[in-house]
Structures are given as C-alpha cells and as structure tokens.
Amino acid sequence: MNSKILKCNISKKCGSCQLIDKEYSETLKIKLNHVNSLFKQHKINYQIKEINPSPNITKYRNKMIVGFRFVNNEIIAGFYEENSHKVIALDNCLMHSDVQNKIVKETINIMKSLKLRPYDEDKKTGLIRYLLIKEGFKTNEIMVVIVTGQEVFPGSNEFCKRIRAIDKNIKTIIQNINTRKTSVVLGEKEKILYGPGQISDYLCNLKFNITSKSFFQVNPLQAEKLYQKVKEYADFKGNEVIIDAYSGVGTIGMFLSDKVNKVISVENNKQAHFAAITNAKNNKIKNVLFYNDDATDFINQLSRQREKIDVVVMDPPRTGSTEQFIMSCVKLKPKKIVYVSCGPDTLARDLELFLKNNYIITKASCFDMFCFSEHIETVVLLTNNFKKQ
Ligand code: SAH
C-alpha cells in the first residue's frame, strides 16, 4: 500500500479531495468507519470489515471538466471552488491522467495564440466556456468537447488542427454550445468538428459507446471489481430472472446476462436507456430487456402482476431508493437483493426498511471509487428470511 502523503497546492480551495492530507490506508479506514457508524445509527446490527482499495489511487479518473477565466490578463483553467463560481487555476491534477492534464495546458496555449477568449457569463463576451475530456482507458481513445458560449466559432478549423496535434489518440472533437446562464456544463446543441463524435471503451470485456453526454463509470478499473463482487454475491445458478434497477447504460445487467436466464433493466433517463439498447446490440446480448421508466413505478407494477423474480440488483443514485420501491421489492420475495450504493446515508436508511421486512444482511463490502474524496461505494447482499411456505 502506498504510504506517502500526496501534495496538492489547491486542495483546500478546490475541495474535491477532502482527505488528500492523509495516507491512503488512513483514508480507507475513515471511509469504512463512516459507513459502519451510519449502520450503528440506524440500528443495523452488521459491521463491514472489507474495503477494497482502488487499483490506481492517482490518475484514476477517465473524465475531466475544467472551466476557463480571464484573470490578470491571463487565461486560467481549472475546477470550480467549492460552492462557488470561482475557477481555481489548475496546475496538474493528481486524479487525472497525464494526457488529460496536458490537453488542458495546451488548450490554454492554443487559445492564447488564436486569441480565443474565455466566455464571460455575466457580460456574455468571449467564447470558450468549458473543456470536457473523456478517455477510454482500455482503448486509449480520447474525446475533446469544447463548450462555447455562442454558436459562431471563428477559427474552429485551426483550433481543431492544433488540438489534434496535442496527442495522436484524440479521436474526436466536439463543439457543444451552451448559451444559458447555468452551472450545467453541457448545452443541448452540438457540432462534431472532427472524427465520429464518440469514443468507445471496455468494461468487463464488454464494449461501450461513449458520447459527450452519456454516463460512464469514472473509475472503470474499480467499477470492474465492484461488478465482480455483485456477481460473486448473487452466485447465480443459471436459470434466474433478475432485475437490474437504476441500470444507467446497462452495464451491470449486461455483465450479469451470461449467468442468468433473463435480465429486466429499468432506467428513467431516456438517453441512458437508448444507449443501453445500442450497447446490448453491439455486444450481441439478447436476454436483457430494457425499460425506460421510474424504478419505483416499474417495480410496483411487477409486484401487482406477481412476477417471479429471483434476484434484484439495485444501484440507485446518491438519494437512494424509495419506501415504495423497497416495499414492492419485498412483495416480489426475491431470494437475493444486491444493493449497490454510492450514498452511505441513504443506504443505511434503505437497509433499515429491508431489515424490518424479513431480509437480512448476509455479506457487505466497501469499494473506494473516488480516492481521497469523502465518497464511498458499498455492495450489500440481502437474503430473505421468509419462513418456508
Ligand atoms: N447501474 C449503472 C448506473 C448507476 S447510477 C452503472 O453501474 O453504471 C444511477 C442511475 O439511476 C442513473 O443512471 C440515473 O439516471 C438512474 N435513476 C435515477 N433515478 C431513477 C429512478 N427514479 N428510476 C429509474 N432510474 C433512476
């Protein structure tokens, strides 16, 4: 285990890496204790012993977003200061790859030489608002998205040529137009300036298309480990019908599909839903059914229809699941529920309800997905304790 303490000059202002002044092993203990103390607060009689360190503890992020400002006659690029709209100039972010950091630096140089100004939200002057970089760690393919505050992009050909010259793996360049006064980075409209407008990457040997707006796991190497844990906990026999709730672009359901009879996936985001269908097609997976619906409404309906479901895998957002989802899930009486959580508070809240309804925690394990941040992911196996009927 890495025992040295990392140095970052802007960590206090940036606020993304709250635990960067600690040794990595110490951060893992803090995160595990946090989850266990939440369990205690919710009277959950189970303490997690295992926390899986990230395969890479620096340079682990495959996606980077920086904003631009004009400060003291200089262009700066960086992250937003916590809870503010101030950009903190970035030198070299330890959590992003060398090539991502290089693209940020070089983009500033290109802007200077082409006299392209950062966009000023208040005055509505200038052009360049954000830079979004996505990198496929297995394919090495890179996407560069330049977000502009207006549609007209003078010198875009020259800009593209120079961006492409930064690294041979830059496969596509996109102009995204965001004219609104908002903290949302991407606008609706896009123009592909170079290449196919998308890149691809692999997760657990499955190929996924990545567009500027599609969600993809940010620490893919650790996500693979987490998915393996889901598979291990579910321990399928081969004939199961399972639900993959909050399925995103279909990653977990597709990964489990060769071990079961049928996967029923539900996701409420339209774009993610359609991306999931395309991903399944591209990987020739036929036994996953995708539904574009609210997970609670969907599972309510299944429980009214008394569907036979063997295993429920659920991976809700930080806000957790809902009481109704949990009660309908319990009515379906799946033998196993695998709960993947990125929000320990809501996990503890939701587990309390499962435990009141005849489920018990059989196994649980934490995963450090966002090293040195306060975030922590948890995978919990619940099995049912119903009396034999
Ligand atoms: N399982 C996926 C994504 C998990 S992120 C993966 O491993 O990559 C949580 C997902 O839940 C997001 O895609 C979000 O759009 C979706 N979501 C949020 N609220 C939802 C709801 N009420 N019903 C269905 N899906 C929802």
Side-chain angles (χ1 to χ4, degrees):
M1 181 116 347
N2 196 331
S3 67
K4 71 178 199 287
I5 292 182
L6 299 171
K7 278 237 160 353
C8 172
N9 297 333
I10 61 162
S11 66
K12 289 276 174 311
K13 285 185 188 160
C14 161
S16 301
C17 300
Q18 299 93 343
L19 304 173
I20 200 140
D21 55 349
K22 310 231 174 342
E23 278 189 18
Y24 185 62
S25 56
E26 182 63 25
T27 68
L28 294 180
K29 280 185 206 147
I30 293 170
K31 293 186 189 203
L32 188 61
N33 284 342
H34 177 61
V35 179
N36 281 328
S37 70
L38 285 167
F39 276 21
K40 248 191 198 150
Q41 276 171 39
H42 283 263
K43 306 198 170 45
I44 295 168
N45 194 11
Y46 190 96
Q47 294 287 288
I48 305 178
K49 303 218 164 55
E50 180 182 83
I51 178 159
N52 298 271
S54 175
N56 298 324
I57 65 167
T58 58
K59 305 180 186 180
Y60 63 84
R61 294 182 66 100
N62 60 6
K63 175 179 140 182
M64 185 170 195
I65 301 171
V66 293
F68 294 91
R69 287 285 183 278
F70 204 59
V71 181
N72 299 333
N73 273 336
E74 282 292 332
I75 298 172
I76 61 160
F79 305 130
Y80 281 106
E81 190 177 57
E82 228 183 346
N83 305 320
S84 96
H85 231 55
K86 207 171 149 197
V87 169
I88 306 299
L90 181 83
D91 180 27
N92 183 51
C93 177
L94 298 168
M95 304 307 145
H96 292 90
S97 66
D98 294 340
V99 67
Q100 291 169 33
N101 278 299
K102 182 176 170 200
I103 292 169
V104 173
K105 274 188 202 147
E106 291 298 322
T107 301
I108 295 179
N109 291 336
I110 295 169
M111 284 170 70
K112 275 186 199 158
S113 74
L114 296 181
K115 301 202 167 29
L116 296 170
R117 297 278 295 250
Y119 182 73
D120 186 315
E121 258 176 39
D122 299 317
K123 296 186 195 137
K124 289 198 179 289
T125 56
L127 181 70
I128 311 283
R129 245 181 134 161
Y130 302 99
L131 181 68
L132 161 64
I133 305 162
K134 293 191 178 186
E135 185 183 357
F137 281 172
K138 298 247 166 83
T139 58
N140 293 324
E141 293 176 359
I142 298 170
M143 167 191 289
V144 173
V145 183
I146 193 86
V147 184
T148 58
Q150 60 172 53
E151 190 160 346
V152 182
F153 189 166
S156 68
N157 283 345
E158 185 58 25
F159 177 82
C160 260
K161 206 172 113 196
R162 295 197 191 189
I163 292 279
R164 278 171 63 190
I166 300 172
D167 192 278
K168 65 179 188 326
N169 290 320
I170 295 177
K171 288 282 177 278
T172 192
I173 304 170
I174 296 166
Q175 179 193 359
N176 177 288
I177 301 136
N178 188 356
T179 52
R180 288 169 303 160
K181 194 167 179 181
T182 165
S183 55
V184 178
V185 172
L186 295 179
E188 293 281 315
K189 198 165 177 186
E190 289 194 344
K191 285 183 191 168
I192 298 172
L193 301 180
Y194 166 72
Q198 58 180 32
I199 56 166
S200 59
D201 201 15
Y202 289 86
L203 206 60
C204 302
N205 291 325
L206 296 167
K207 193 177 183 183
F208 291 92
N209 283 346
I210 300 169
T211 63
S212 64
K213 292 180 187 172
S214 65
F215 172 83
F216 193 66
Q217 290 283 345
V218 172
N219 180 349
L221 297 182
Q222 181 70 324
E224 286 185 335
K225 296 210 174 307
L226 187 150
Y227 290 176
Q228 289 292 352
K229 187 61 86 178
V230 174
K231 194 179 254 182
E232 180 196 315
Y233 280 3
D235 190 23
F236 298 117
K237 302 284 173 285
N239 56 352
E240 289 90 346
V241 175
I242 73 165
I243 292 177
D244 173 20
Y246 309 93
S247 55
V249 291
T251 33
I252 298 183
M254 284 168 57
F255 170 61
L256 300 176
S257 63
D258 64 335
K259 295 277 176 280
V260 300
N261 178 10
K262 190 166 88 179
V263 182
I264 302 170
S265 288
V266 58
E267 160 65 43
N268 72 348
N269 180 292
K270 242 199 189 109
Q271 268 209 13
H273 166 74
F274 286 117
I277 293 173
T278 307
N279 286 330
K281 247 190 214 146
N282 290 345
N283 288 285
K284 299 188 171 53
I285 291 173
K286 298 208 169 88
N287 62 337
V288 186
L289 303 175
F290 295 99
Y291 293 89
N292 184 204
D293 204 348
D294 173 71
T296 301
D297 292 347
F298 186 77
I299 203 160
N300 277 343
Q301 200 185 334
L302 289 187
S303 87
R304 277 199 301 275
Q305 293 165 351
R306 295 171 195 272
E307 282 300 315
K308 189 180 170 308
I309 302 292
D310 300 293
V311 178
V312 172
V313 178
M314 54 192 285
D315 183 9
R318 283 204 183 116
T319 45
S321 191
T322 65
E323 201 174 322
Q324 260 193 48
F325 178 98
I326 294 167
M327 294 318 291
S328 293
C329 183
V330 166
K331 270 195 207 135
L332 287 169
K333 296 190 181 174
K335 287 192 272 309
K336 293 172 190 165
I337 297 163
V338 185
Y339 193 138
V340 180
S341 156
C342 54
D345 303 71
T346 51
L347 171 70
R349 179 199 71 198
D350 291 349
L351 286 178
E352 209 181 332
L353 193 55
F354 275 120
L355 299 186
K356 280 185 189 141
N357 285 280
N358 287 318
Y359 278 83
I360 52 172
I361 299 176
T362 312
K363 293 174 181 171
S365 182
C366 288
F367 285 80
D368 190 28
M369 196 78 94
F370 300 104
C371 310
F372 302 101
S373 78
E374 280 172 343
H375 298 299
I376 179 75
E377 326 287 310
T378 312
V379 184
V380 178
L381 171 67
L382 293 152
T383 51
N384 85 24
N385 204 18
F386 298 121
K387 293 204 175 66
K388 290 249 153 43
Q389 294 160 339

